[in-house]
Amino acid sequence: MKNLDTAFRQVRMFCLVFLSLCFLMTCYAIYKSYDAVKTANSSVYVIANGQVIRAKNSEREENLEVEIRDHVETFHHLFFTLDPDEKVIKQHILQALYLTDGSAKQLYDDLQEKGFYTNIISGNISQRINIDSVVVNSKIPPYSFRCYATEDVIRSTNNIKRALVTSGTIREVSRSDNNPHGFLIENWKILFNQDIKPLNIQP
């Protein structure tokens, strides 16, 4: 009887240890499966120039300032890059207006009324913008920014370099094909826009 009782206890202890190990292994397998799924979901694949590129998905807060700066730079490139072609100007302005509120549309209408774009076309003038820096305050929404840039106004006889400083606030909106960053520039205004370096071109 003593041998049977001892054998029963040993079998019971073995079963308890075995079940505990099974439980721990199951928990570990579930954890690793969840971690693998999470890792797979955080990876996205982008097709660029016919090649598949693996990209890492991250929370928006991690890259908030980077996205805001790129949004602001994209808007300024579209709004201030001009060529003596009415169709190109309208196309750029239309794309730029998707990224901002009515403040930019008001400036565009004012410039159009004053004949600015007509002079660009009739004078065969091109304009290029170079963004020096975009300072963003991303602590509290709506996020404020200030953009520092230079413009190159290119004519057949001379070039003019201009200093440009603008400011505004950023509001989050839904992403779309026309607004891939999902931001909207509000209360946009030009603080400074003056010639700094004329350059005469000798024939």
Side-chain angles (χ1 to χ4, degrees):
M1 291 295 294
K2 288 182 179 180
N3 289 337
L4 287 175
D5 186 55
T6 302
F8 176 73
R9 289 181 181 179
Q10 290 176 347
V11 170
R12 185 176 62 179
M13 181 62 67
F14 174 79
C15 290
L16 290 174
V17 171
F18 179 75
L19 289 174
S20 299
L21 290 174
C22 288
F23 177 76
L24 291 174
M25 288 182 65
T26 302
C27 292
Y28 179 75
I30 293 173
Y31 168 76
K32 293 300 288 184
S33 299
Y34 175 79
D35 188 58
V37 170
K38 186 178 179 181
T39 302
N41 288 337
S42 67
S43 298
V44 293
Y45 293 89
V46 181
I47 299 177
N49 298 324
Q51 294 182 345
V52 178
I53 302 172
R54 184 178 179 182
K56 191 72 174 176
N57 189 19
S58 60
E59 295 296 329
R60 184 167 196 173
E61 289 73 15
E62 296 177 19
N63 301 310
L64 184 64
E65 285 195 22
V66 176
E67 285 203 57
I68 291 176
R69 280 197 295 269
D70 192 59
H71 182 85
V72 172
E73 289 181 13
T74 300
F75 164 74
H76 283 78
H77 277 294
L78 289 170
F79 196 87
F80 290 101
T81 299
L82 303 172
D83 281 308
D85 187 315
E86 184 179 3
K87 191 173 182 180
V88 172
I89 291 173
K90 286 185 176 180
Q91 182 181 1
H92 282 189
I93 295 297
L94 179 62
Q95 291 175 342
L97 294 181
Y98 280 114
L99 310 179
T100 183
D101 66 353
S103 54
K105 178 66 164 61
Q106 184 177 353
L107 177 61
Y108 169 70
D109 292 339
D110 291 343
L111 291 173
Q112 199 168 27
E113 257 185 57
K114 294 174 181 177
F116 174 76
Y117 298 104
T118 303
N119 292 336
I120 290 284
I121 296 169
S122 61
N124 288 322
I125 301 170
S126 295
Q127 182 174 282
R128 298 290 180 266
I129 186 171
N130 300 302
I131 307 296
D132 297 325
S133 64
V134 178
V135 180
V136 179
N137 181 2
S138 60
K139 293 181 180 178
I140 303 174
Y143 313 113
S144 60
F145 73 88
R146 185 165 289 195
C147 178
Y148 299 89
T150 55
E151 298 170 277
D152 292 318
V153 182
I154 305 164
R155 296 183 174 92
S156 57
T157 55
N158 63 6
N159 292 352
I160 296 176
K161 189 174 285 291
R162 313 191 76 184
L164 174 70
V165 181
T166 68
S167 68
T169 57
I170 293 286
R171 176 166 61 90
E172 294 188 47
V173 296
S174 300
R175 297 178 190 263
S176 68
D177 291 340
N178 295 316
N179 190 344
H181 292 104
F183 291 117
L184 193 70
I185 297 173
E186 297 181 318
N187 306 312
W188 180 68
K189 54 187 176 183
I190 296 177
L191 304 177
F192 184 83
N193 188 14
Q194 291 186 9
D195 297 350
I196 57 175
K197 187 180 179 183
L199 175 62
N200 293 323
I201 300 177
Q202 299 296 330

